[in-house]
Amino acid sequence: MDNTPGPRAGRKEWTALCVLMLPLMLVSMDISVLYFAIPYVSQDLGPSATQQLWILDMYGFVLAGLLITMGALGDRVGRRTLLLVGAAVFGAASIAAAYAHSAELLIAVRALLGLGGAALMPSTLALIRNLFLDEKQRGKAVTVWTAVMTAGVSLGPVVSGLLLEHFWWGSVFLINLPAMALLLVLVPFLVPDFRTPQQGRFDLLSAALSLAALLPVIYGIKELAQHGYEPLPALGITSGLVLGYAFVRRQKRSAHPMIDLGLLGRRAFGGPLFANLLAMFATVGMAVFLTQYLQSVLGKSPFEAALWSLVPGASLIVMAPTAGMLAQRVDRAYVMGGGFLLSALGFLWLTRVHTDSALWITLTAGAIYAGGLIAAMTLANELAIGAAPPERAGSAAAVLESGQELGGALGMAILGSIGAAVYGRDMADAVPAGVPHADAVRETLGGATTVAAQLPAGTADTVMVAAREAFTHGMGFAALGAAIVIAAAGLFSVVMLRGAGRAAPPAASQPAPAPVPAEAEAA
């Protein structure tokens, strides 16, 4: 990373950062905002079980699949231009989603929301690279970006639950409109439009290959996590990997590639990318367990569970800036390693949680592992975006975020499978004879809850006590798996990233002119 001091940002740039955080927060929230609203959507639109899954998942699939394409497009047409187009699409799709009159229309509109979100997310991080040229200021800006992105996913269910207490389900989409309107008004005055002048047409085939590679892989991983091995998801993963190989081959041969493969080979970019993937593996993989534990084991209502789940996030406020300050005095590799180690200890603490454990024990474990992860992820994002050449800031940001999406999908699949395997083993002989739908009871805690509601009180209590014990046991093993992965991430950070923040990057594998404000280019 080049440590040559750049001009310091002023009030205009920091105000621009505040405005850029609005779409980032909402795009992150939209990943989880439908969790509480889906029963109301089902009652109103009557979707099938398959349609209900697509309503929930379509947004994330399209968002993940288009990130690389949109990052490269922003480098070419202008990052502010793409941001504004994305805001307009996101706002229009939000209105359409709020008033959708059929499940099919809502699925289609959720895809359109994913398109708008894919345009917004890499643009916000890429513009930080262009607005904040001073390394210390850029570090603070990236800290804010990481904290807002993480907080958005946690806030989605809370905002959804609050709105649904007073309004209809469409309100969870309409909250996007004021922020998008403010973005469209203020960004043209606060943010220059940076683009990289380059020759050649936009590679539509590479764009199609990137989408066709990522989409079936993430879909297959999620399906395998939910339903176990099935031929179609396995085929999806295989075909996605084959198409991904074709995408990489095309990038190597292209005069103007969508992603700089040489950048991936740099220690200061590829290393943080891998560390972030492992961090999101643990974050997303354990989030499902904690939500179910609060609701189905401790008996909290969905809204109560969402509020309690925000408590561990309070550690983000402390740990993110603390990590930034420490990294100014100590090699950031050691700070990242310390953050991962702290997180691993939090996961190990979580293995000691039982069905009768006090709530504060679970929340403290969550705060420890969340705080450690956000400290490491903040520095990883800062190191990677600082190592990226300014002319490739958009595609570099998109690759970072694609890695995070893939890490989250892998965490949900692998940690979810560990928990499910332990649950199934513990419940194999725990279901009383004669209980109807015993297979559903042995598969998931949700299935046990549904079946128990139809049983006599005594039998229902026996089933639920066993199911809660089995689920908590499975959560402990999943937490142990997360601790091992995160400890490995800490070791990787210390060994591979020492001195990476001080080293100047080598020449780009594909030389390109520096980005210029569009206004200067036009002049």
Side-chain angles (χ1 to χ4, degrees):
M1 182 169 61
D2 186 3
N3 289 326
T4 303
R8 292 180 61 81
R11 181 179 301 175
K12 181 179 178 180
E13 286 78 14
W14 288 109
T15 304
L17 176 66
C18 294
V19 175
L20 291 175
M21 292 306 96
L22 290 173
L24 178 64
M25 172 72 76
L26 292 170
V27 170
S28 301
M29 282 174 52
D30 257 45
I31 295 173
S32 56
V33 77
L34 273 186
Y35 288 173
F36 288 171
I38 198 66
Y40 300 92
V41 174
S42 298
Q43 184 178 1
D44 191 14
L45 303 183
S48 66
T50 301
Q51 288 175 327
Q52 182 172 304
L53 287 175
W54 278 112
I55 289 171
L56 287 170
D57 291 339
M58 179 59 79
Y59 174 79
F61 287 156
V62 175
L63 176 69
L66 288 177
L67 280 172
I68 291 177
T69 296
M70 290 300 173
L73 188 62
D75 287 342
R76 180 180 294 264
V77 304
R79 290 152 201 161
R80 186 187 71 182
T81 298
L82 187 65
L83 182 78
L84 294 174
V85 171
V89 171
F90 201 82
S94 297
I95 297 174
Y99 295 101
H101 56 75
S102 69
E104 293 83 1
L105 179 59
L106 185 56
I107 292 170
V109 173
R110 287 280 285 171
L112 195 60
L113 279 167
L115 172 64
L120 288 166
M121 284 192 75
S123 297
T124 57
L125 188 54
L127 284 168
I128 287 176
R129 179 67 178 89
N130 297 128
L131 289 171
F132 296 91
L133 303 179
D134 178 79
E135 182 189 351
K136 290 184 179 180
Q137 288 189 317
R138 185 170 61 242
K140 293 178 181 178
V142 173
T143 297
V144 173
W145 187 92
T146 306
V148 169
M149 182 195 67
T150 307
V153 179
S154 301
L155 281 174
V158 177
V159 173
S160 174
L162 186 61
L163 288 171
L164 290 170
E165 286 189 357
H166 303 284
F167 306 102
W168 97 112
W169 61 265
S171 62
V172 303
F173 296 107
L174 293 182
I175 59 170
N176 298 330
L177 297 183
M180 294 303 155
L182 190 64
L183 188 74
L184 290 169
V185 171
L186 294 181
V187 163
F189 297 101
L190 294 172
V191 181
D193 194 8
F194 296 93
R195 67 165 62 101
T196 303
Q198 51 184 319
Q199 299 177 350
R201 295 181 178 179
F202 186 73
D203 191 350
L204 292 176
L205 180 57
S206 288
L209 282 173
S210 70
L211 178 62
L214 280 173
L215 209 57
V217 169
I218 293 176
Y219 165 77
I221 290 171
K222 285 191 173 185
E223 286 295 302
L224 291 178
Q226 291 177 352
H227 308 296
Y229 176 81
E230 291 181 354
L232 186 59
L235 179 61
I237 294 175
T238 303
S239 63
L241 293 176
V242 171
L243 291 170
Y245 175 75
F247 173 77
V248 171
R249 292 270 297 180
R250 185 170 179 84
Q251 299 312 292
K252 287 181 178 179
R253 298 174 179 178
S254 175
H256 303 284
M258 290 180 62
I259 61 173
D260 183 356
L261 297 179
L263 179 63
L264 291 175
R266 293 184 196 172
R267 197 162 53 102
F269 186 86
L273 173 66
F274 183 65
N276 256 356
L277 185 150
L278 296 180
M280 289 301 292
F281 174 96
T283 301
V284 176
M286 288 307 301
V288 177
F289 285 99
L290 285 178
T291 301
Q292 281 194 274
Y293 179 82
L294 290 172
Q295 291 186 50
S296 300
V297 177
L298 299 186
K300 305 295 181 185
S301 70
F303 187 54
E304 282 182 308
L307 286 176
W308 280 116
S309 68
L310 291 179
V311 174
S315 62
L316 309 184
I317 302 173
V318 177
M319 292 303 298
T322 299
M325 288 188 292
L326 287 174
Q328 294 178 17
R329 302 180 180 181
V330 183
D331 191 317
R332 73 189 64 224
Y334 294 113
V335 183
M336 287 177 61
F340 281 126
L341 176 60
L342 179 65
S343 180
L345 293 175
F347 285 120
L348 288 176
W349 185 330
L350 204 58
T351 65
R352 310 306 302 166
V353 170
H354 304 290
T355 55
D356 57 351
S357 296
L359 179 59
W360 70 266
I361 295 177
T362 306
L363 296 180
T364 302
I368 292 173
Y369 86 66
L373 285 176
I374 197 66
M377 289 177 66
T378 296
L379 296 180
N381 282 328
E382 177 196 344
L383 179 59
I385 203 65
E391 70 272 7
R392 296 196 182 275
S395 58
V399 170
L400 265 178
E401 290 159 13
S402 297
Q404 291 174 355
E405 292 286 337
L406 182 58
L410 286 170
M412 188 179 297
I414 296 174
L415 297 182
S417 297
I418 292 173
V422 174
Y423 177 89
R425 185 196 64 188
D426 288 0
M427 291 297 291
D429 300 319
V431 182
V435 171
H437 308 294
D439 288 343
V441 175
R442 295 187 182 101
E443 286 179 0
T444 64
L445 177 58
T449 303
T450 301
V451 173
Q454 305 168 8
L455 298 175
T459 306
D461 288 344
T462 301
V463 168
M464 288 309 301
V465 167
R468 287 169 181 147
E469 290 281 357
F471 175 83
T472 306
H473 193 201
M475 182 177 73
F477 270 86
L480 178 60
I484 293 171
V485 169
I486 291 306
L491 180 62
F492 170 84
S493 299
V494 171
V495 173
M496 298 300 297
L497 298 179
R498 277 181 298 182
R502 297 192 300 268
S509 60
Q510 294 289 343
V516 297
E519 293 84 352
E521 186 184 6

